[in-house]
Amino acid sequence: MSSLEYKFQIDQKVVYPSQGVGKITNITEKKFKDQMINYYVIYLAVSDMVVMVPVDKVDELGIRAIVSAEEAQKAIDMMAEEVEPITSDWKLRYQMNLDLLKKGSVLDIATIVRCLYHRSKVKELPILERKLYDSAKKLLEDEISFALDMNPKEVEAILLSKLEPLGLVRDAKNSSISSSFDDDDEYIDEDDDSIIPDDDEDDDDDDGDGDEE
């Protein structure tokens, strides 16, 4: 396979939705089950980890190039849009947002951040949702910082400034939102994953979908 046939090139920044923003450090071949497979080697700075992803699996895993400056600005502007009341059933809300994260577009990630930020102002998020919010927020900040050539801390401040003006509207609606839904959210221990299975657990060694070095 020639380099022209690869979707990504060495040194290119990419978004791996379930892992973070990374950099293609190499494209290599590796034997798997008696077959030679081409892999992207991706360094993920957020976790200081290197992963190997089969070239033909990147679309399936949602791995994509960093968005343009225009798309990044759309994601920033989206933070200032008013949010619709969302169910207080955290398990349903968690699954909906997890599905968005797997889709992985910058607007999908922005939607998660906006939704969970405002929900957290109504009631503290359960542990799994808090982790999802933190992951989505970090991913959004990192991608926008690369797209706009800005410091991630600057991006964080800009996003917060877009989210906060909605606070007055949100606070005025809290009572009506609370009365519209059953707000008896469940909380679970951090080590208890019996309610929501962790779909992101890799069993890559069995199917060749990617592995870590």
Side-chain angles (χ1 to χ4, degrees):
M1 181 181 291
S2 70
S3 61
L4 293 177
E5 295 175 300
Y6 287 112
K7 184 173 185 177
F8 307 121
Q9 305 301 317
I10 293 175
D11 292 333
Q12 184 175 353
K13 297 287 194 313
V14 295
V15 176
Y16 191 160
S18 63
Q19 302 291 339
V21 173
K23 179 181 178 181
I24 305 290
T25 60
N26 196 13
I27 302 173
T28 188
E29 249 188 347
K30 184 178 178 182
K31 192 172 184 179
F32 180 79
K33 294 183 178 178
D34 297 324
Q35 182 180 1
M36 296 304 294
I37 297 177
N38 293 300
Y39 287 87
Y40 289 117
V41 181
I42 306 174
Y43 174 68
L44 301 161
V46 66
S47 54
D48 192 24
M49 181 171 67
V50 174
V51 297
M52 294 180 65
V53 178
V55 168
D56 61 358
K57 294 286 187 179
V58 293
D59 290 337
E60 180 182 324
L61 295 172
I63 298 174
R64 57 176 176 77
I66 297 290
V67 294
S68 66
E70 181 181 3
E71 286 298 309
Q73 189 60 52
K74 285 182 182 178
I76 291 174
D77 294 340
M78 184 180 177
M79 294 293 102
E81 296 176 6
E82 186 172 348
V83 294
E84 294 294 325
I86 189 169
T87 177
S88 64
D89 181 343
W90 79 267
K91 289 177 285 185
L92 176 59
R93 195 171 60 231
Y94 177 82
Q95 190 59 57
M96 290 167 58
N97 284 320
L98 189 61
D99 290 343
L100 281 177
L101 182 63
K102 289 176 181 178
K103 287 172 63 179
S105 78
V106 70
L107 296 182
D108 289 330
I109 296 165
T111 297
I112 297 170
V113 173
R114 186 183 62 177
C115 167
L116 294 183
Y117 174 84
H118 289 292
R119 178 61 194 176
S120 72
K121 299 304 179 181
V122 175
K123 186 172 183 179
E124 184 179 357
L125 299 175
I127 293 170
L128 283 179
E129 265 200 318
R130 182 70 202 186
K131 287 182 175 180
L132 180 59
Y133 169 74
D134 289 342
S135 295
K137 179 174 175 287
K138 174 63 176 172
L139 182 57
L140 184 64
E141 290 167 358
D142 285 351
E143 179 167 16
I144 291 175
S145 70
F146 281 117
L148 298 181
D149 193 22
M150 296 175 64
N151 185 289
K153 289 296 182 183
E154 292 180 89
V155 174
E156 181 181 21
I158 291 171
L159 294 178
L160 184 59
S161 72
K162 294 287 187 179
L163 288 165
E164 275 303 307
L166 279 177
L168 295 177
V169 176
R170 180 199 62 235
D171 292 341
K173 290 186 176 181
N174 275 354
S175 58
S176 61
I177 292 174
S178 297
S179 63
S180 298
F181 297 100
D182 177 8
D183 205 24
D184 291 329
D185 291 358
E186 292 187 45
Y187 288 80
I188 66 171
D189 293 332
E190 185 171 354
D191 295 329
D192 181 4
D193 56 1
S194 60
I195 297 177
I196 301 294
D198 185 357
D199 293 334
D200 290 330
E201 286 293 330
D202 290 335
D203 52 1
D204 304 318
D205 292 339
D206 295 329
D207 58 16
D209 285 351
D211 51 20
E212 300 172 10
E213 285 192 338

